[in-house]
Every structure is written in structure tokens, then in C-alpha cells.
Amino acid sequence: MKRTSEAAFETAIEAVLLADGYARVEAKGFDRERAIFPDEALAFIRATQGKVWEKLEALHGEGYAKPLDGPRDVGSGMVREERLSLSRLIDIINQRFGGELNEADQLFFDQIAEAASQNEALQKAAEVNPLDKFQLVFRQVLESLFIERMELNEELFNDYMGKPEMRELVSKWLGSQVYDRLSSIKSAGRHKH
């Protein structure tokens, strides 16, 4: 009776996979704790899910790929939040949409965020909804805030209304900012009592 070893079996499987177009990856890149090749997984996501990757970079900045932080990065623990600064939003818009936004445009976005924070409907929505549901209400209010202020920055208004991808980016970013602002106000109010 011929005995085969596990190593021989692994070698046979590897040979079939390599012949089928798979590439060999160095073992030193393997993260044993998480049982994954992080660089390979991130490269795969970039290559096959470009729009998802762009959204991640829009929210977290270019070069988002950082070492995974265990349970926090896979959804079973606290999420590590890294906020996108206003100047970073302006940089992304300029790069992605060929704009020439400047400090005045940053101020315009900041004014919109402040006005949104004062909106009673948004305050109530932030109290009772998670961020993703809040964003649905926020988009409607944001559009009306842009329309109300269109004469203050007509070029930015036209870009916002005419470029759906830019509208999505701005809406998500400002929505997150306003939601965080309203949530921190709500939390501060609870801790005072």
C-alpha cells in the first residue's frame, strides 16, 4: 500500500493551481493571525472592485491600505475612524473632477455643514438613526441648502448638481461630518444629566 504525505498532496494541489494561472506568493507576506495575505487581498479589491476602492479612498484618503487591525477592521469590534479634513475633500474633488476649488470653497462647505447642523429635521434624524439612514435624509436637505446658497458660489453649485459622483462624495462626507457633530451634541446632552 502506497502512502502519500500531506506535503506531496499540497505540492500536487499547488502544481494544478499554478498551471491554471494562479501565482505563487511568498509565505513571508502571510498574516497567520488573520489567515490572509493582506497585500494580495487589497490588490485584488483594487483590481476587481475599483468603485468600492475609490469610495474607501474618498472617505479615508489615498493610500488607505494600512495593516489590518484585527477584529476592528473586520466588523467585530470598534471601528477605527479617520476623518477626512475639509482640505482633503477639496484635494480629492480637484484631483478626481479636475476642479480648482480653494479656501473660499472650503468655507462654503463649512457654512453648509453648519447650516445643516442647525436643521431640526436633521437633528431629529441623527437622534434616531444610524449614519446610513441619516444619510438618506441628509441628501435631501443638502440639496436644498445648496440651492438656497447657489448665488454665493454658482460654479460649485453647478459642479455639485451636474456631477453625480461629486454630489455623492460631497453628500457622504458632509453627512458624516454633520452626523458626528449632532451625535456629539446629543451625547454631551445626555452626560450633563
Side-chain angles (χ1 to χ4, degrees):
M1 173 178 213
K2 185 175 180 184
R3 297 193 68 161
T4 56
S5 69
E6 185 175 341
F9 180 62
E10 288 173 2
T11 302
I13 291 173
E14 182 181 30
V16 170
L17 292 173
L18 291 172
D20 229 6
Y22 284 80
R24 180 177 282 121
V25 179
E26 292 297 317
K28 67 181 177 185
F30 186 70
D31 182 335
R32 294 181 72 78
E33 182 180 339
R34 294 170 191 88
I36 192 170
F37 287 91
D39 293 340
E40 297 297 317
L42 292 172
F44 174 79
I45 293 169
R46 278 188 210 103
T48 61
Q49 300 170 44
K51 289 186 179 188
V52 171
W53 190 258
E54 284 179 13
K55 288 179 183 178
L56 286 171
E57 284 193 334
L59 290 172
H60 301 284
E62 286 184 37
Y64 173 67
K66 296 180 182 78
L68 295 176
D69 190 19
R72 293 182 182 149
D73 286 338
V74 296
S76 59
M78 295 282 294
V79 175
R80 176 178 54 210
E81 285 295 324
E82 294 181 17
R83 286 289 158 219
L84 183 64
S85 72
L86 245 176
S87 61
R88 184 70 185 131
L89 175 64
I90 296 296
D91 291 342
I92 290 170
I93 291 171
N94 286 342
Q95 178 183 5
R96 189 172 300 163
F97 303 103
E100 294 181 12
L101 301 181
N102 57 37
E103 291 177 19
D105 300 306
Q106 289 181 16
L107 181 58
F108 181 77
F109 282 134
D110 204 25
Q111 290 170 341
I112 294 235
E114 182 58 34
S117 297
Q118 302 302 319
N119 182 287
E120 285 185 38
L122 289 178
Q123 290 172 355
K124 290 178 184 174
E127 281 182 32
V128 298
N129 289 298
L131 176 59
D132 61 327
K133 302 290 187 230
F134 173 81
Q135 288 280 13
L136 299 173
V137 177
F138 181 78
R139 280 191 185 110
Q140 294 172 342
V141 173
L142 180 61
E143 193 166 304
S144 68
L145 291 171
F146 260 90
I147 291 169
E148 288 171 11
R149 289 167 176 73
M150 99 174 128
E151 68 278 351
L152 297 175
N153 196 326
E154 195 168 332
E155 187 178 340
L156 185 55
F157 171 80
N158 289 334
D159 282 346
Y160 176 81
M161 296 305 280
K163 297 177 180 175
E165 289 180 12
M166 180 177 163
R167 188 170 50 239
E168 180 74 13
L169 172 70
V170 171
S171 179
K172 282 188 174 185
W173 183 84
L174 286 176
S176 294
Q177 295 292 311
V178 171
Y179 184 81
D180 288 349
R181 194 179 293 179
L182 293 174
S183 294
S184 67
I185 291 169
K186 180 177 72 173
S187 294
R190 266 194 251 139
H191 293 302
K192 287 182 178 180
H193 300 296

